[in-house]
Amino acid sequence: MAPLLLVLLALTFSSSASAFTSHHYSDALTKSIIFFDGQRSGNLPSNQRLKWRADSAVNDGSSTNVDLVGGYYDAGDNVKFGLPMAFTTTMLAWSIIEFGDSMESELGNAKTALRWSSDYLLKAATATPGTLYVQVGEPHSDHSCWERPEDMDTPRNVYKVSPQNPGSDVAAETAAALAAASIVFQDSDPSYSRKLLQTAKNVFDFADKYRGSYSDSLGSVVCPFYCSYSGYNDELLWGAAWIHRASEDASYLSYIQSNGHTLGSDDDDFSFSWDDKRAGTKVLLAKGFLEKQLDQFQLYKQHSDNYICSIIPGSPNSQARYTPGGLLYKQGESNLQYVTTSSFLLLTYAKYLNSYGGHASCGGVTFTAETLIVQAKKQIDYILGDNPMKMSYMVGFGDKYPTQIHHRGSSVPSVRVHPDHISCDAGHQYFNAKSPNPNILIGAIVGGPDSNDNYADDRSNYSQSEPATYINAPFVGAAAFFSGR
C-alpha cells in the first residue's frame, strides 16, 4: 500500500482525542520487535539488542543428527513449539506485507525478526525427506523447571510428523509461514524467496496428502500445551490461500474452490489465533474479491463482514464480549492474543476496503473502513495504557508496566549478574520471589487483564503475566499502521 494512502487512512482520525501520538506508536513498534531478540534460541548474532540474553540450545537436533538450532521460544518457557512458531512467522510476514511501508527504520529489524524464524522453519522442513520437525524440548520437564535457556539441562527431545504420524495442522501452518515470508523477501533476496516458496509448496503437499492432526500423532507432547483444538481443515485452507497469494499459481485457486466448503469456508468463527485460522483466511481471500471481483471469493468477503460485524460494539450482529474498560475479552488464557489478532484483521480489512471502495455490511447496517480503524485504535491504546489500570501491558513502554512477568529468561538473573549456572531447583527461588524480574524483556506484551480490567502483577498467574510471540507478531503490523499518522 502506498505510504500516502496509509497516512490518509490514519489522518481520518487525527482530530479525535488520543492518549498517544505517532511518536508513541513508533516507540511501541520498535519495542514490539526488540521483544523477538529476547525469544531467540541458538547462537545469537553480534548485533543482539537485548544484551542480557546469550547463546542457548546450540545443539538442538544433534540427538537425531539434524540441525535444529535457532528459531524462537514461544512464550515464557524454553520449548520450541512448531505450531505457534509458524503462526508467529506468518503474522510477522503479514504485518510487513501490509504495513511495512510505515515501518521506516524498523523495517529492517522486522525482516530480521522474520528471517530468524523462517530460516529455522526451512531447516525443520528440509532436514529429512518426508519429515517435518515440529518441536524441540520435552515440555513436561521444561514446565516443571524454572531455568534460563542459557542454563538449560532439561531434555531437548526432537519431535516430528511424517506420513506414518501426520500433522496436517502444523505442516500447513508451516507452509503458510514460508509462503508469506517468500513475499517479504521477493525483492530483497529473490533466491531465498524462491526457496521459501518451493518449500512451502512441498510442505503443503505433505500436509494435504497425509491428513491427520499432530495432536493425535504426538499426544501428550503437544497437549495440553498447543493442542490443535480446531483441527487441521482451517490450516489447509489458510496454507493454500497464502501459497496462492505468493505464487498466483492457478492450481491453488482451484484447490480453494474445490475444497473450501469442506475445509471451513462456510464456517464463521469469531476469534483468530495460533489454533484457529478461519477468520484470517476469510480476510486474506476477501482481497481477491475486492481487488479483482473474483466471484469465487465473494463468499469470503461475506464471511469477513460477518467476522467484523461480530466484534464491532453496537453492530446488530455483535457477539463479542468487552470489559467495562472497553477491551475485547475472550475467556481463556492470553486474552491479549485475541486483541492483537483482531486489531490486525480490522486494520488489514480496512485497508482492503479503502483500496477498493468497499464497506462491511451487517444486515441493514454498513461500516466504513474508518469505523474499523477507530475500533482497532481503541484496542491498541488500551494495551499501551489507556485503560482503567492506567498501565501499559507492554513491558518497557510508558511509566507503569508489568514487572513480574512469567518468563524464565528474564526472571532468573543472567550470567552477567550471577556468574554460576543456576540449576532448575535453584531457579524456583526466583519464580517465587515477589521482586521485579532482574532482566527487562523490552516489548513483551503479556496475557493481559481479566474480564473486569484487573491485573495482578504476579508471575505465578501465567494466564495474565506470560508474554508470547504470537501476541506480539500481529501487534507489529498494528503499531506500524498507527505510527504512520
Side-chain angles (χ1 to χ4, degrees):
M1 185 179 197
L4 177 59
L5 184 51
L6 283 172
V7 170
L8 289 175
L9 282 175
L11 281 177
T12 304
F13 300 97
S14 60
S15 61
S16 60
S18 174
F20 304 107
T21 66
S22 60
H23 171 76
H24 293 112
Y25 297 117
S26 295
D27 183 37
L29 171 64
T30 297
K31 288 172 177 172
S32 68
I33 298 171
I34 289 176
F35 161 75
F36 288 95
D37 280 27
Q39 298 301 113
R40 283 172 167 171
S41 180
N43 296 292
L44 304 188
S46 58
N47 62 351
Q48 167 78 11
R49 289 179 291 178
L50 288 181
K51 299 301 183 183
W52 51 265
R53 280 301 319 276
D55 298 348
S56 64
V58 297
N59 296 310
D60 276 2
S62 61
S63 62
T64 51
N65 298 311
V66 293
D67 175 11
L68 295 175
V69 178
Y72 289 118
Y73 304 115
D74 70 293
D77 52 28
N78 299 330
V79 181
K80 295 191 299 202
F81 289 101
L83 184 56
M85 194 195 307
F87 178 69
T88 292
T89 306
T90 308
M91 293 309 298
L92 269 176
W94 202 2
S95 289
I96 297 169
I97 291 166
E98 302 296 353
F99 305 114
D101 286 344
S102 292
M103 291 182 182
E104 298 184 343
S105 62
E106 288 302 323
L107 178 59
N109 290 324
K111 291 173 75 171
T112 296
L114 172 63
R115 188 154 185 162
W116 193 267
S117 53
S118 61
D119 280 351
Y120 174 83
L121 294 177
L122 264 180
K123 291 196 290 187
T126 60
T128 304
T131 297
L132 174 66
Y133 294 94
V134 299
Q135 186 168 314
V136 183
E138 202 293 305
H140 297 278
S141 59
D142 177 89
H143 282 64
S144 65
C145 179
W146 201 256
E147 195 172 42
R148 296 188 317 135
E150 292 87 343
D151 293 333
M152 241 186 318
D153 48 21
T154 50
R156 299 301 290 171
N157 296 359
V158 173
Y159 303 95
K160 64 185 180 182
V161 294
S162 65
Q164 296 74 34
N165 294 286
S168 299
D169 27 37
V170 65
E173 180 60 71
T174 300
L178 295 170
S182 76
I183 299 172
V184 172
F185 295 108
Q186 199 165 37
D187 294 332
S188 59
D189 195 339
S191 62
Y192 181 64
S193 174
R194 287 192 295 271
K195 185 176 182 180
L196 289 168
L197 182 55
Q198 185 56 57
T199 305
K201 291 180 177 181
N202 295 341
V203 175
F204 182 81
D205 289 345
F206 167 77
D208 189 42
K209 183 176 181 180
Y210 304 103
R211 293 195 181 188
S213 172
Y214 92 138
S215 297
D216 295 331
S217 295
L218 295 175
S220 64
V221 172
V222 298
C223 295
F225 312 101
Y226 289 104
C227 281
S228 182
Y229 297 104
S230 68
Y232 57 79
N233 285 338
D234 57 312
E235 276 88 9
L236 286 173
L237 193 59
W238 172 245
W242 271 113
I243 296 176
H244 176 257
R245 175 143 177 192
S247 65
E248 298 186 351
D249 185 331
S251 67
Y252 291 93
L253 177 59
S254 297
Y255 179 94
I256 293 166
Q257 289 178 266
S258 300
N259 296 280
H261 292 293
T262 58
L263 297 180
S265 64
D266 298 325
D267 301 337
D268 279 324
D269 188 74
F270 304 115
S271 64
F272 178 44
S273 69
W274 59 263
D275 177 45
D276 195 335
K277 317 299 160 51
R278 285 175 289 182
T281 305
K282 307 297 173 53
V283 170
L284 183 66
L285 291 176
K287 182 176 184 289
F289 176 74
L290 289 163
E291 181 181 17
K292 300 177 181 178
Q293 292 297 300
L294 297 174
D295 289 340
Q296 56 267 43
F297 284 160
Q298 185 173 10
L299 173 68
Y300 298 101
K301 166 67 168 64
Q302 293 170 352
H303 283 282
S304 294
D305 285 1
N306 291 346
Y307 170 74
I308 295 302
C309 295
S310 76
I311 61 174
I312 294 289
S315 163
N317 302 334
S318 180
Q319 298 188 26
R321 178 185 178 189
Y322 284 85
T323 69
L327 181 71
L328 178 67
Y329 189 80
K330 180 178 173 65
Q331 188 69 40
E333 299 170 7
S334 299
N335 180 60
L336 289 187
Q337 166 191 195
Y338 302 103
V339 177
T340 61
T341 54
S342 64
S343 297
F344 179 88
L345 290 185
L346 283 166
L347 294 173
T348 299
Y349 199 46
K351 175 185 170 181
Y352 297 165
L353 293 175
N354 248 321
S355 296
Y356 308 112
H359 59 261
S361 177
C362 306
V365 179
T366 59
F367 290 123
T368 64
E370 289 76 15
T371 304
L372 277 58
I373 295 170
V374 167
Q375 179 60 19
K377 187 176 185 299
K378 289 177 181 177
Q379 301 302 295
I380 298 303
D381 286 0
Y382 187 109
I383 292 173
L384 295 179
D386 188 7
N387 57 61
M389 293 289 289
K390 301 302 180 186
M391 69 179 293
S392 164
Y393 291 106
M394 173 184 279
V395 175
F397 183 89
D399 297 327
K400 181 183 177 184
Y401 50 81
T403 62
Q404 291 189 40
I405 65 171
H406 186 95
H407 191 273
R408 289 156 176 76
S410 64
S411 65
V412 179
S414 69
V415 70
R416 298 175 189 277
V417 176
H418 195 295
D420 300 321
H421 173 99
I422 298 176
S423 69
C424 177
D425 291 339
H428 285 280
Q429 68 178 295
Y430 300 105
F431 175 79
N432 294 319
K434 297 303 180 184
S435 56
N437 289 22
N439 305 307
I440 300 177
L441 186 58
I442 294 172
I445 301 174
V446 297
D450 64 18
S451 60
N452 292 311
D453 300 296
N454 297 314
Y455 181 83
D457 195 4
D458 179 359
R459 69 178 63 87
S460 67
N461 185 350
Y462 69 89
S463 65
Q464 288 194 317
S465 64
E466 187 172 19
T469 57
Y470 45 84
I471 301 177
N472 268 65
F475 182 91
V476 169
F481 173 82
F482 289 115
S483 72
R485 295 184 66 178

